[in-house]
Amino acid sequence: MAYRVVIPRSIPFGESNRVQQAVWKRGYSTRIAGRDAAQPDQVVVEFLRMVDELPEPGDVPALEQDLERLLSSSRIDAPFMGRGGWVETVQNRPARKRIA
């Protein structure tokens, strides 16, 4: 079974495409969770990291720190806000049957 670590961060709306493309190149997937209610000029991006085994409770904060280092690096250099993360189970969809 696969798992997805979800790390939401609020980033400036104008930076969202650039940041998403940069993290995709480094193994993250993303999904938009909407505008940040506290900061209307920001969008909440959920950064997704796939793992094969259920992470230990201490592993999620370590993955958060890795993402934050990446967002702060000179290659991406994106302002962000927020803390926290969670783990989701990834359900494999059954293969579609072809009807002749």
Coordinates of all heavy atoms in Angstrom, one line a residue:
M1 N 0.8 -1.2 0.0 CA 0.0 0.0 0.0 C 0.9 1.2 0.0 O 1.9 1.3 0.7 CB -0.9 0.0 1.2 CG -1.8 1.2 1.3 SD -3.0 1.1 2.6 CE -4.0 -0.3 2.2
A2 N 0.5 2.2 -0.7 CA 1.2 3.5 -0.8 C 0.6 4.6 0.1 O -0.6 4.5 0.3 CB 1.3 4.0 -2.2
Y3 N 1.4 5.5 0.5 CA 0.9 6.6 1.3 C 1.3 7.9 0.7 O 2.3 8.0 0.0 CB 1.4 6.5 2.7 CG 0.9 5.2 3.4 CD1 1.7 4.1 3.3 CD2 -0.3 5.2 4.1 CE1 1.3 2.9 3.9 CE2 -0.7 4.0 4.7 CZ 0.1 2.8 4.6 OH -0.4 1.7 5.1
R4 N 0.6 9.0 1.0 CA 0.9 10.3 0.5 C 1.0 11.2 1.7 O 0.1 11.3 2.5 CB -0.3 10.8 -0.4 CG -0.1 12.2 -0.9 CD -1.4 12.6 -1.7 NE -1.7 11.6 -2.7 CZ -3.0 11.1 -2.8 NH1 -3.9 11.3 -2.0 NH2 -3.2 10.2 -3.8
V5 N 2.2 11.9 1.9 CA 2.4 12.9 2.9 C 2.0 14.2 2.3 O 2.5 14.6 1.3 CB 3.8 12.9 3.4 CG1 4.0 14.0 4.5 CG2 4.2 11.5 3.9
V6 N 1.0 14.9 3.0 CA 0.5 16.1 2.5 C 1.0 17.2 3.4 O 0.8 17.2 4.6 CB -1.1 16.1 2.5 CG1 -1.6 17.4 2.0 CG2 -1.6 14.9 1.8
I7 N 1.6 18.2 2.8 CA 2.2 19.4 3.5 C 1.7 20.7 2.9 O 2.2 21.1 1.9 CB 3.8 19.3 3.5 CG1 4.3 17.9 3.9 CG2 4.4 20.4 4.3 CD1 5.7 17.7 3.6
P8 N 0.6 21.2 3.5 CA 0.1 22.5 3.0 C 0.9 23.7 3.4 O 1.3 23.8 4.5 CB -1.3 22.5 3.6 CG -1.2 21.8 4.9 CD -0.1 20.7 4.7
R9 N 1.1 24.6 2.4 CA 1.8 25.8 2.7 C 1.1 26.9 1.9 O 0.7 26.7 0.7 CB 3.3 25.8 2.3 CG 4.1 24.8 3.2 CD 4.1 25.3 4.6 NE 4.9 24.4 5.5 CZ 4.4 23.4 6.2 NH1 3.1 23.2 6.1 NH2 5.2 22.7 7.0
S10 N 1.0 28.1 2.5 CA 0.4 29.3 1.8 C 1.6 30.0 1.1 O 2.6 30.4 1.7 CB -0.3 30.1 2.9 OG -0.8 31.3 2.3
I11 N 1.4 30.3 -0.2 CA 2.4 31.0 -1.0 C 1.7 32.1 -1.8 O 0.5 32.0 -2.0 CB 3.2 30.1 -1.9 CG1 2.3 29.3 -2.9 CG2 4.0 29.0 -1.1 CD1 3.0 28.5 -3.9
P12 N 2.4 33.1 -2.2 CA 1.8 34.2 -3.0 C 1.2 33.6 -4.3 O 1.8 32.8 -4.9 CB 3.0 35.1 -3.3 CG 4.0 34.9 -2.2 CD 3.8 33.4 -1.8
F13 N 0.0 34.1 -4.6 CA -0.6 33.6 -5.8 C 0.2 33.7 -7.0 O 0.3 32.8 -7.9 CB -2.0 34.3 -6.0 CG -2.8 33.8 -7.1 CD1 -3.5 32.7 -7.1 CD2 -2.8 34.6 -8.3 CE1 -4.2 32.2 -8.1 CE2 -3.5 34.1 -9.4 CZ -4.3 32.9 -9.3
G14 N 0.9 34.8 -7.2 CA 1.7 35.1 -8.4 C 2.9 34.2 -8.5 O 3.5 34.0 -9.6
E15 N 3.3 33.5 -7.4 CA 4.4 32.6 -7.4 C 4.0 31.1 -7.6 O 4.9 30.3 -7.7 CB 5.2 32.8 -6.1 CG 5.8 34.1 -5.8 CD 7.1 34.3 -6.7 OE1 7.9 33.4 -6.6 OE2 7.2 35.3 -7.3
S16 N 2.7 30.8 -7.5 CA 2.3 29.4 -7.4 C 2.8 28.6 -8.6 O 3.2 27.5 -8.4 CB 0.8 29.4 -7.2 OG 0.1 29.8 -8.3
N17 N 2.6 29.1 -9.8 CA 3.0 28.2 -10.9 C 4.5 28.0 -10.9 O 5.0 26.8 -11.1 CB 2.6 28.9 -12.3 CG 1.2 28.8 -12.6 OD1 0.5 27.9 -12.0 ND2 0.7 29.6 -13.4
R18 N 5.3 29.0 -10.7 CA 6.8 28.8 -10.7 C 7.2 27.8 -9.6 O 8.0 26.9 -9.8 CB 7.4 30.2 -10.5 CG 9.0 30.1 -10.4 CD 9.6 31.4 -10.1 NE 9.3 31.9 -8.7 CZ 10.0 31.4 -7.6 NH1 11.0 30.5 -7.8 NH2 9.7 31.9 -6.4
V19 N 6.6 28.0 -8.4 CA 7.0 27.1 -7.3 C 6.6 25.7 -7.5 O 7.3 24.7 -7.3 CB 6.3 27.6 -6.0 CG1 6.5 26.6 -4.8 CG2 6.9 29.0 -5.6
Q20 N 5.3 25.5 -8.1 CA 4.9 24.1 -8.4 C 5.8 23.4 -9.4 O 6.2 22.3 -9.2 CB 3.4 24.1 -8.9 CG 2.4 24.5 -7.8 CD 1.0 24.5 -8.3 OE1 0.4 23.4 -8.5 NE2 0.5 25.7 -8.5
Q21 N 6.2 24.2 -10.4 CA 7.1 23.6 -11.4 C 8.4 23.2 -10.8 O 9.0 22.2 -11.1 CB 7.2 24.5 -12.6 CG 6.0 24.6 -13.5 CD 6.2 25.6 -14.6 OE1 7.2 26.3 -14.7 NE2 5.1 25.8 -15.4
A22 N 8.9 24.1 -10.0 CA 10.2 23.8 -9.3 C 10.2 22.6 -8.4 O 11.1 21.8 -8.4 CB 10.7 25.0 -8.6
V23 N 9.1 22.4 -7.7 CA 9.1 21.3 -6.8 C 8.7 20.0 -7.5 O 9.1 18.9 -7.1 CB 8.1 21.5 -5.5 CG1 8.6 22.6 -4.7 CG2 6.7 21.6 -6.0
W24 N 8.0 20.1 -8.6 CA 7.7 18.9 -9.4 C 9.1 18.3 -9.9 O 9.2 17.0 -9.9 CB 6.9 19.2 -10.6 CG 5.4 19.5 -10.4 CD1 4.7 19.0 -9.3 CD2 4.6 20.3 -11.1 NE1 3.4 19.5 -9.4 CE2 3.3 20.3 -10.5 CE3 4.7 21.0 -12.3 CZ2 2.2 21.0 -11.0 CZ3 3.7 21.7 -12.8 CH2 2.4 21.7 -12.1
K25 N 10.0 19.1 -10.3 CA 11.3 18.7 -10.7 C 12.1 18.0 -9.6 O 13.1 17.3 -9.9 CB 12.1 19.8 -11.3 CG 11.5 20.4 -12.5 CD 12.3 21.6 -13.0 CE 11.7 22.3 -14.2 NZ 12.4 23.5 -14.6
R26 N 11.7 18.2 -8.4 CA 12.4 17.6 -7.2 C 11.5 16.5 -6.5 O 11.8 16.2 -5.4 CB 12.7 18.7 -6.3 CG 13.9 19.5 -6.9 CD 13.9 20.9 -6.3 NE 15.0 21.7 -6.9 CZ 14.8 22.4 -8.1 NH1 13.7 22.3 -8.7 NH2 15.8 23.1 -8.6
G27 N 10.6 15.9 -7.2 CA 9.9 14.8 -6.7 C 8.6 15.0 -6.0 O 8.0 14.0 -5.4
Y28 N 8.1 16.2 -5.9 CA 6.8 16.5 -5.2 C 5.7 16.6 -6.3 O 5.9 17.1 -7.4 CB 6.9 17.8 -4.4 CG 7.7 17.7 -3.2 CD1 9.1 18.0 -3.3 CD2 7.1 17.5 -2.0 CE1 9.9 17.9 -2.1 CE2 7.9 17.4 -0.8 CZ 9.3 17.7 -0.9 OH 10.1 17.6 0.2
S29 N 4.5 16.2 -5.8 CA 3.3 16.5 -6.6 C 2.7 17.7 -5.8 O 3.0 17.9 -4.7 CB 2.4 15.3 -6.7 OG 3.0 14.3 -7.3
T30 N 1.7 18.3 -6.4 CA 1.0 19.4 -5.8 C -0.5 19.4 -6.1 O -0.9 18.8 -7.1 CB 1.6 20.8 -6.2 OG1 1.4 21.0 -7.6 CG2 3.0 21.0 -5.8
R31 N -1.3 20.0 -5.2 CA -2.7 20.3 -5.6 C -3.0 21.6 -4.8 O -2.5 21.9 -3.8 CB -3.6 19.1 -5.2 CG -3.6 18.8 -3.7 CD -4.5 17.6 -3.4 NE -4.5 17.3 -2.0 CZ -4.7 16.1 -1.5 NH1 -5.0 15.1 -2.2 NH2 -4.7 16.0 -0.2
I32 N -3.9 22.3 -5.5 CA -4.3 23.6 -5.0 C -5.5 23.4 -4.0 O -6.4 22.7 -4.4 CB -4.7 24.6 -6.1 CG1 -3.6 24.8 -7.1 CG2 -5.3 25.9 -5.5 CD1 -2.4 25.5 -6.5
A33 N -5.4 24.0 -2.8 CA -6.5 23.8 -1.8 C -7.3 25.1 -1.7 O -8.2 25.2 -0.9 CB -5.9 23.5 -0.5
G34 N -7.1 26.1 -2.6 CA -7.9 27.3 -2.6 C -7.1 28.5 -2.0 O -5.9 28.4 -1.6
R35 N -7.8 29.6 -2.0 CA -7.2 30.8 -1.4 C -7.0 30.7 0.1 O -7.8 30.1 0.7 CB -8.0 32.1 -1.8 CG -8.1 32.4 -3.2 CD -6.9 33.1 -3.7 NE -7.0 33.5 -5.1 CZ -6.4 34.5 -5.6 NH1 -5.6 35.3 -4.9 NH2 -6.6 34.8 -6.9
D36 N -6.0 31.4 0.6 CA -5.8 31.5 2.0 C -6.8 32.5 2.6 O -6.8 33.7 2.2 CB -4.4 31.9 2.3 CG -4.0 31.8 3.8 OD1 -4.9 32.0 4.6 OD2 -2.8 31.6 4.1
A37 N -7.7 32.1 3.5 CA -8.7 33.0 4.0 C -8.1 34.1 4.8 O -8.6 35.2 4.8 CB -9.6 32.2 4.9
A38 N -7.0 33.9 5.4 CA -6.3 35.0 6.2 C -5.5 35.9 5.3 O -5.3 37.1 5.7 CB -5.4 34.4 7.3
Q39 N -5.0 35.5 4.2 CA -4.2 36.2 3.3 C -4.8 36.1 1.9 O -4.4 35.2 1.1 CB -2.8 35.8 3.3 CG -2.1 35.8 4.6 CD -1.7 37.3 4.9 OE1 -1.4 38.0 4.1 NE2 -1.7 37.6 6.2
P40 N -5.7 36.9 1.4 CA -6.4 36.7 0.1 C -5.5 36.7 -1.1 O -5.8 36.2 -2.1 CB -7.4 37.8 0.0 CG -7.6 38.3 1.4 CD -6.3 38.0 2.2
D41 N -4.3 37.3 -0.9 CA -3.3 37.3 -2.1 C -2.5 36.1 -2.1 O -1.6 36.0 -2.9 CB -2.5 38.6 -2.0 CG -1.6 38.6 -0.7 OD1 -2.1 38.1 0.3 OD2 -0.6 39.3 -0.7
Q42 N -2.8 35.1 -1.2 CA -2.0 33.9 -1.2 C -2.9 32.7 -1.5 O -4.1 32.8 -1.4 CB -1.5 33.7 0.2 CG -0.6 34.8 0.7 CD 0.8 34.4 1.1 OE1 1.2 33.3 0.9 NE2 1.5 35.3 1.8
V43 N -2.3 31.6 -2.0 CA -3.0 30.4 -2.3 C -2.4 29.3 -1.5 O -1.2 29.3 -1.2 CB -2.9 30.1 -3.8 CG1 -1.5 29.8 -4.3 CG2 -3.8 28.9 -4.2
V44 N -3.2 28.4 -1.0 CA -2.7 27.2 -0.3 C -2.4 26.1 -1.3 O -3.3 25.6 -2.0 CB -3.7 26.7 0.8 CG1 -3.2 25.5 1.5 CG2 -4.0 27.9 1.8
V45 N -1.2 25.7 -1.3 CA -0.7 24.6 -2.1 C -0.4 23.4 -1.2 O 0.3 23.6 -0.2 CB 0.5 25.0 -2.9 CG1 1.0 23.8 -3.8 CG2 0.2 26.2 -3.9
E46 N -1.0 22.3 -1.5 CA -0.6 21.1 -0.8 C 0.5 20.3 -1.5 O 0.3 19.9 -2.7 CB -1.9 20.2 -0.6 CG -2.9 20.8 0.3 CD -4.2 20.0 0.4 OE1 -4.4 19.0 -0.4 OE2 -4.9 20.3 1.3
F47 N 1.6 20.3 -0.9 CA 2.8 19.6 -1.5 C 2.7 18.1 -1.1 O 2.5 17.8 0.1 CB 4.1 20.2 -1.0 CG 4.2 21.6 -1.4 CD1 3.8 22.7 -0.6 CD2 4.8 21.9 -2.6 CE1 3.9 24.0 -1.0 CE2 4.9 23.3 -3.1 CZ 4.5 24.3 -2.3
L48 N 2.8 17.2 -2.1 CA 2.5 15.8 -1.8 C 3.8 15.0 -2.1 O 4.4 15.2 -3.1 CB 1.4 15.3 -2.8 CG 0.2 16.2 -2.9 CD1 -0.7 15.8 -4.0 CD2 -0.6 16.2 -1.5
R49 N 4.1 14.1 -1.1 CA 5.2 13.3 -1.3 C 4.8 11.8 -1.1 O 4.2 11.5 -0.1 CB 6.3 13.6 -0.2 CG 7.6 12.9 -0.3 CD 8.2 13.3 -1.6 NE 9.6 13.0 -1.6 CZ 10.5 13.8 -2.1 NH1 10.2 14.8 -2.8 NH2 11.8 13.4 -2.1
M50 N 5.0 11.0 -2.1 CA 4.6 9.6 -2.0 C 5.6 8.8 -1.3 O 6.8 9.0 -1.5 CB 4.4 9.0 -3.4 CG 3.3 9.7 -4.2 SD 1.7 9.5 -3.6 CE 1.4 7.7 -3.9
V51 N 5.2 7.9 -0.4 CA 6.0 6.9 0.3 C 5.4 5.6 0.3 O 4.2 5.4 0.2 CB 6.3 7.4 1.8 CG1 7.0 8.7 1.9 CG2 5.0 7.5 2.5
D52 N 6.3 4.5 0.3 CA 5.8 3.2 0.2 C 5.3 2.6 1.5 O 4.5 1.7 1.5 CB 6.9 2.3 -0.4 CG 7.2 2.6 -1.9 OD1 6.3 3.0 -2.6 OD2 8.4 2.5 -2.2
E53 N 5.8 3.1 2.6 CA 5.5 2.5 3.9 C 4.9 3.7 4.8 O 5.3 4.8 4.6 CB 6.7 1.9 4.6 CG 7.2 0.7 3.8 CD 8.4 0.1 4.6 OE1 8.6 0.4 5.7 OE2 9.1 -0.7 3.9
L54 N 4.0 3.3 5.7 CA 3.5 4.3 6.6 C 4.6 4.9 7.4 O 5.4 4.2 8.1 CB 2.5 3.6 7.5 CG 1.7 4.5 8.5 CD1 0.9 5.5 7.7 CD2 0.9 3.6 9.4
P55 N 4.7 6.2 7.3 CA 5.8 6.9 8.0 C 5.6 6.9 9.5 O 4.5 6.9 10.0 CB 5.8 8.3 7.5 CG 4.6 8.5 6.6 CD 3.9 7.2 6.5
E56 N 6.7 6.9 10.2 CA 6.6 7.0 11.7 C 6.2 8.4 12.0 O 6.4 9.3 11.2 CB 8.0 6.8 12.3 CG 8.5 5.4 12.1 CD 7.7 4.3 12.9 OE1 7.3 4.7 14.0 OE2 7.6 3.2 12.4
P57 N 5.6 8.6 13.2 CA 5.1 10.0 13.6 C 6.2 11.1 13.4 O 5.9 12.2 13.0 CB 4.6 9.8 15.0 CG 4.2 8.4 15.1 CD 5.2 7.7 14.2
G58 N 7.4 10.8 13.7 CA 8.5 11.8 13.6 C 9.0 12.0 12.2 O 9.7 13.0 12.0
D59 N 8.6 11.2 11.3 CA 9.0 11.4 9.9 C 8.3 12.5 9.2 O 8.9 13.1 8.3 CB 8.8 10.1 9.1 CG 9.7 9.0 9.5 OD1 10.7 9.2 10.2 OD2 9.5 7.8 9.2
V60 N 7.0 12.8 9.6 CA 6.3 13.8 8.9 C 6.9 15.2 9.1 O 7.1 15.9 8.2 CB 4.8 13.8 9.3 CG1 4.0 15.0 8.7 CG2 4.2 12.5 8.8
P61 N 7.3 15.5 10.4 CA 8.0 16.8 10.6 C 9.3 16.9 9.8 O 9.7 18.0 9.4 CB 8.2 16.9 12.1 CG 7.1 16.1 12.7 CD 6.9 14.9 11.7
A62 N 10.0 15.8 9.7 CA 11.3 15.8 9.0 C 11.0 16.1 7.5 O 11.7 16.8 6.8 CB 12.0 14.5 9.1
L63 N 9.9 15.5 6.9 CA 9.6 15.8 5.5 C 9.1 17.3 5.4 O 9.4 17.9 4.3 CB 8.5 14.9 5.1 CG 8.9 13.4 4.9 CD1 7.7 12.5 4.7 CD2 9.8 13.3 3.7
E64 N 8.5 17.8 6.4 CA 8.1 19.2 6.4 C 9.4 20.1 6.3 O 9.4 21.0 5.5 CB 7.3 19.6 7.6 CG 5.9 19.1 7.7 CD 5.3 19.6 9.0 OE1 5.0 20.8 9.1 OE2 5.0 18.8 9.8
Q65 N 10.3 19.8 7.1 CA 11.6 20.5 7.1 C 12.3 20.4 5.8 O 12.9 21.4 5.3 CB 12.5 20.1 8.3 CG 11.9 20.4 9.6 CD 12.7 19.8 10.8 OE1 13.6 19.0 10.5 NE2 12.3 20.0 12.0
D66 N 12.3 19.3 5.2 CA 12.9 19.1 3.9 C 12.3 20.0 2.8 O 12.9 20.7 2.1 CB 12.8 17.6 3.4 CG 13.8 16.7 4.2 OD1 14.7 17.2 4.8 OD2 13.5 15.5 4.1
L67 N 10.9 20.0 2.9 CA 10.2 20.9 1.9 C 10.5 22.4 2.2 O 10.8 23.1 1.2 CB 8.7 20.7 2.0 CG 7.8 21.6 1.2 CD1 8.0 21.4 -0.3 CD2 6.4 21.5 1.6
E68 N 10.5 22.8 3.4 CA 10.8 24.2 3.8 C 12.2 24.6 3.4 O 12.4 25.7 2.9 CB 10.5 24.4 5.3 CG 9.0 24.3 5.6 CD 8.7 24.4 7.0 OE1 9.6 24.5 7.9 OE2 7.5 24.5 7.4
R69 N 13.2 23.7 3.5 CA 14.5 24.0 3.0 C 14.5 24.1 1.5 O 15.2 25.0 1.0 CB 15.5 22.8 3.4 CG 16.1 23.0 4.8 CD 17.2 22.0 5.1 NE 16.8 20.6 5.1 CZ 16.3 20.0 6.2 NH1 16.2 20.7 7.3 NH2 16.0 18.7 6.1
L70 N 13.8 23.3 0.8 CA 13.7 23.4 -0.6 C 13.0 24.7 -1.0 O 13.5 25.4 -1.9 CB 12.9 22.2 -1.2 CG 12.7 22.2 -2.7 CD1 14.0 22.1 -3.4 CD2 11.7 21.0 -3.0
L71 N 11.9 25.1 -0.4 CA 11.2 26.4 -0.7 C 12.1 27.6 -0.4 O 12.0 28.6 -1.1 CB 9.9 26.5 0.1 CG 8.8 25.5 -0.3 CD1 7.6 25.6 0.6 CD2 8.4 25.7 -1.8
S72 N 13.0 27.5 0.6 CA 13.9 28.6 1.0 C 15.2 28.6 0.2 O 15.9 29.5 0.3 CB 14.2 28.5 2.5 OG 13.0 28.6 3.2
S73 N 15.4 27.5 -0.5 CA 16.7 27.4 -1.2 C 16.8 28.5 -2.3 O 15.9 29.1 -2.7 CB 16.9 26.1 -1.9 OG 16.0 25.9 -3.0
S74 N 18.1 28.8 -2.7 CA 18.3 29.8 -3.7 C 17.6 29.5 -5.1 O 17.3 30.3 -5.8 CB 19.8 30.0 -3.9 OG 20.4 28.9 -4.3
R75 N 17.4 28.2 -5.3 CA 16.8 27.8 -6.6 C 15.3 28.2 -6.7 O 14.8 28.5 -7.7 CB 16.9 26.3 -6.8 CG 18.4 25.9 -7.2 CD 18.4 24.5 -7.6 NE 19.8 24.2 -8.0 CZ 20.1 23.8 -9.2 NH1 19.1 23.6 -10.1 NH2 21.3 23.6 -9.6
I76 N 14.6 28.1 -5.5 CA 13.2 28.4 -5.5 C 12.9 29.7 -4.9 O 12.2 30.5 -5.4 CB 12.4 27.2 -4.8 CG1 12.5 25.9 -5.6 CG2 10.9 27.6 -4.7 CD1 11.8 24.8 -5.1
D77 N 13.5 29.9 -3.7 CA 13.4 31.2 -3.0 C 11.9 31.7 -2.9 O 11.7 32.8 -3.5 CB 14.3 32.2 -3.5 CG 14.5 33.4 -2.7 OD1 14.2 33.3 -1.4 OD2 14.8 34.5 -3.2
A78 N 11.0 31.0 -2.4 CA 9.6 31.4 -2.3 C 9.2 31.6 -0.9 O 9.5 30.8 0.0 CB 8.7 30.3 -2.9
P79 N 8.5 32.8 -0.6 CA 8.0 33.0 0.7 C 6.8 32.0 0.9 O 6.1 31.7 0.0 CB 7.5 34.4 0.6 CG 7.3 34.7 -0.8 CD 8.2 33.9 -1.6
F80 N 6.7 31.5 2.2 CA 5.6 30.6 2.5 C 5.2 30.8 3.9 O 6.0 31.3 4.7 CB 6.0 29.1 2.2 CG 7.2 28.7 3.0 CD1 7.0 28.1 4.3 CD2 8.5 28.9 2.6 CE1 8.1 27.7 5.1 CE2 9.6 28.4 3.4 CZ 9.4 27.9 4.6
M81 N 4.0 30.3 4.2 CA 3.5 30.4 5.6 C 2.8 29.0 5.9 O 2.3 28.4 5.0 CB 2.5 31.5 5.8 CG 3.1 32.9 5.5 SD 1.9 34.2 5.5 CE 0.5 33.7 6.4
G82 N 2.7 28.7 7.1 CA 2.0 27.5 7.5 C 2.8 26.5 8.2 O 4.1 26.4 8.0
R83 N 2.2 25.6 8.9 CA 2.8 24.5 9.6 C 1.9 23.3 9.5 O 0.7 23.4 9.3 CB 3.1 24.8 11.1 CG 4.1 25.8 11.3 CD 5.5 25.1 11.4 NE 6.5 26.1 11.5 CZ 7.4 26.4 10.5 NH1 7.2 25.9 9.3 NH2 8.4 27.2 10.7
G84 N 2.5 22.1 9.7 CA 1.7 20.9 9.8 C 1.7 20.1 8.5 O 2.3 20.5 7.5
G85 N 1.2 18.9 8.6 CA 1.1 17.9 7.6 C 0.4 16.7 8.0 O 0.2 16.5 9.2
W86 N 0.0 15.9 7.1 CA -0.7 14.6 7.5 C -0.4 13.6 6.4 O 0.2 13.9 5.4 CB -2.2 14.9 7.6 CG -2.9 15.4 6.4 CD1 -3.4 14.6 5.4 CD2 -3.2 16.7 6.0 NE1 -4.0 15.4 4.4 CE2 -3.8 16.7 4.7 CE3 -2.9 17.9 6.6 CZ2 -4.2 17.8 4.1 CZ3 -3.3 19.1 5.9 CH2 -4.0 19.0 4.7
V87 N -0.9 12.4 6.7 CA -0.6 11.2 5.9 C -2.0 10.7 5.3 O -3.0 10.6 6.1 CB 0.1 10.1 6.6 CG1 0.3 8.9 5.7 CG2 1.4 10.6 7.1
E88 N -2.1 10.5 4.1 CA -3.3 9.9 3.4 C -2.9 8.5 2.8 O -1.8 8.3 2.3 CB -3.8 10.8 2.3 CG -4.2 12.1 2.7 CD -4.6 13.0 1.5 OE1 -4.3 12.7 0.4 OE2 -5.2 14.1 1.8
T89 N -3.9 7.6 2.9 CA -3.7 6.3 2.2 C -4.0 6.5 0.7 O -5.0 7.2 0.4 CB -4.6 5.3 2.8 OG1 -4.4 5.2 4.2 CG2 -4.5 3.9 2.1
V90 N -3.2 6.0 -0.1 CA -3.5 6.1 -1.6 C -4.1 4.8 -2.0 O -3.6 3.7 -1.8 CB -2.2 6.3 -2.4 CG1 -2.4 6.3 -3.9 CG2 -1.5 7.6 -1.9
Q91 N -5.3 4.9 -2.5 CA -6.1 3.7 -2.9 C -5.7 3.5 -4.4 O -5.9 4.3 -5.2 CB -7.6 3.9 -2.8 CG -8.0 4.2 -1.4 CD -7.9 2.9 -0.5 OE1 -8.0 1.8 -1.0 NE2 -7.6 3.2 0.7
N92 N -5.3 2.3 -4.7 CA -5.0 1.9 -6.1 C -6.3 1.6 -6.8 O -7.1 0.8 -6.2 CB -4.1 0.7 -6.2 CG -2.7 1.0 -5.7 OD1 -2.3 2.2 -5.8 ND2 -2.0 0.1 -5.1
R93 N -6.6 2.2 -7.9 CA -7.8 2.0 -8.6 C -7.7 0.6 -9.3 O -6.7 0.3 -9.9 CB -8.1 3.1 -9.6 CG -8.4 4.4 -8.9 CD -9.0 5.3 -9.9 NE -8.0 6.4 -10.1 CZ -8.1 7.3 -11.0 NH1 -9.0 7.3 -11.9 NH2 -7.2 8.3 -11.1
P94 N -8.8 -0.1 -9.3 CA -8.7 -1.4 -10.1 C -8.6 -1.1 -11.6 O -9.1 -0.1 -12.1 CB -10.1 -2.1 -9.8 CG -10.9 -1.0 -9.3 CD -10.1 0.1 -8.7
A95 N -7.9 -2.0 -12.3 CA -7.8 -1.8 -13.7 C -9.1 -1.9 -14.4 O -10.0 -2.6 -14.0 CB -6.9 -2.9 -14.3
R96 N -9.3 -1.1 -15.4 CA -10.5 -1.0 -16.2 C -10.6 -2.2 -17.1 O -9.6 -2.6 -17.7 CB -10.6 0.2 -17.0 CG -10.8 1.5 -16.2 CD -11.0 2.6 -17.2 NE -11.1 3.9 -16.4 CZ -11.3 5.0 -17.0 NH1 -11.4 5.1 -18.3 NH2 -11.4 6.1 -16.3
K97 N -11.8 -2.8 -17.2 CA -12.0 -3.9 -18.1 C -12.4 -3.4 -19.5 O -13.3 -2.5 -19.5 CB -13.0 -4.9 -17.6 CG -12.6 -5.6 -16.4 CD -13.6 -6.6 -15.9 CE -13.2 -7.3 -14.7 NZ -14.2 -8.3 -14.2
R98 N -11.8 -3.9 -20.5 CA -12.2 -3.5 -21.8 C -13.4 -4.3 -22.3 O -13.4 -5.5 -22.1 CB -11.1 -3.6 -22.8 CG -10.0 -2.6 -22.6 CD -9.1 -2.6 -23.7 NE -8.3 -1.4 -23.7 CZ -7.6 -1.0 -24.6 NH1 -7.4 -1.7 -25.7 NH2 -6.9 0.1 -24.5
I99 N -14.4 -3.6 -22.8 CA -15.5 -4.3 -23.4 C -15.4 -4.3 -24.9 O -15.2 -3.2 -25.5 CB -16.8 -3.6 -23.0 CG1 -16.9 -3.7 -21.4 CG2 -18.0 -4.3 -23.6 CD1 -18.1 -2.9 -20.9
A100 N -15.4 -5.5 -25.5 CA -15.2 -5.6 -26.9 C -16.4 -5.2 -27.7 O -17.5 -5.2 -27.3 CB -14.7 -7.0 -27.3

